[in-house]
Amino acid sequence: MPLYTTEAIILRTYKLGEVDRIVVFLTRDRGKRRGVAQGARRMRSRFGGALEPLTRVAVTYYEKESRELVSLNYAEPLNSPLWSVRADVLGYVGYFAELIDEWVPEGDHSDKLYALGSATVDALAGGTLEEYGIEATPEQAQQITQEVLAVSLYWVQSALQAILTKTDRERVLGALHDRILQSWTTGLG
């Protein structure tokens, strides 16, 4: 029963029983994993806010060879778009987490995909422009935010082009394009 400690990005969680959660996470060195976080739904959980979608965490877990789910022991948040002061970020968090979860095979290790997910977390958690010494009007700040998100979408498209067949790539990029247009027309972009 090996114990692993690594950096990971939380993609999705599901309720399990009354106090536990099933967590889907993408690790830096072992690919996508599914695991049980015991007691994660309790008020005073040791996991706190670390299991929110698209949060980059330091995670410790162990796995048994005969089991599909790993057991999460510890998760400490390192960076999260939910810490951002921008309200529009919340609409993108679920979208990017779902996109990565749907297209990364279980247990498939990819440094490029992890770097892409990590860059997306950093871009969405970017904070305010003032933190970076940039003075901008609200209109300029909105323009810069949209450009950062467009670059993040470009990274996602580039990664998908590198790992998918031509038929799958056309289907995924078409769905991605439709989803982006839908989010912009509903006021999230």
Side-chain angles (χ1 to χ4, degrees), residues 110-172:
S110 171
D111 288 330
K112 289 182 181 180
L113 270 173
Y114 185 82
L116 170 71
S118 186
T120 302
V121 170
D122 291 341
L124 291 174
T128 64
L129 296 175
E130 290 81 19
E131 292 175 10
Y132 296 100
I134 300 171
E135 294 182 19
T137 66
E139 294 80 19
Q140 291 170 327
Q142 183 177 12
Q143 177 70 27
I144 292 169
T145 300
Q146 289 177 351
E147 289 173 7
V148 167
L149 291 172
V151 168
S152 296
L153 289 171
Y154 175 74
W155 289 338
V156 170
Q157 289 177 344
S158 298
L160 291 174
Q161 288 176 346
I163 63 173
L164 297 175
T165 65
K166 182 177 180 183
T167 305
D168 287 341
R169 185 171 52 237
E170 290 172 357
R171 184 169 47 91
V172 171

Side-chain angles (χ1 to χ4, degrees), residues 79-118:
N79 196 3
S80 176
L82 302 178
W83 297 344
S84 175
V85 295
R86 298 187 339 248
D88 63 330
V89 166
L90 295 177
Y92 295 106
V93 168
Y95 172 71
F96 282 116
E98 181 181 337
L99 184 70
I100 294 169
D101 183 32
E102 291 297 323
W103 294 104
V104 174
E106 193 85 21
D108 187 26
H109 170 252
S110 171
D111 288 330
K112 289 182 181 180
L113 270 173
Y114 185 82
L116 170 71
S118 186

Side-chain angles (χ1 to χ4, degrees), residues 24-123:
V24 181
F25 56 101
L26 178 65
T27 66
R28 175 183 295 277
D29 54 353
R30 301 195 38 90
K32 187 167 84 170
R33 294 282 189 252
R34 294 181 190 278
V36 176
Q38 293 183 351
R41 294 177 53 205
R42 288 193 176 123
M43 289 291 287
R44 295 184 186 251
S45 167
R46 68 178 180 257
F47 296 105
L51 301 180
E52 296 300 322
L54 226 57
T55 298
R56 188 171 50 238
V57 296
V59 66
T60 300
Y61 66 95
Y62 65 91
E63 61 182 310
K64 294 181 181 177
E65 290 186 27
S66 62
R67 297 216 175 143
E68 187 176 313
L69 296 174
V70 302
S71 294
L72 271 75
N73 290 353
Y74 175 77
E76 178 183 344
L78 302 174
N79 196 3
S80 176
L82 302 178
W83 297 344
S84 175
V85 295
R86 298 187 339 248
D88 63 330
V89 166
L90 295 177
Y92 295 106
V93 168
Y95 172 71
F96 282 116
E98 181 181 337
L99 184 70
I100 294 169
D101 183 32
E102 291 297 323
W103 294 104
V104 174
E106 193 85 21
D108 187 26
H109 170 252
S110 171
D111 288 330
K112 289 182 181 180
L113 270 173
Y114 185 82
L116 170 71
S118 186
T120 302
V121 170
D122 291 341

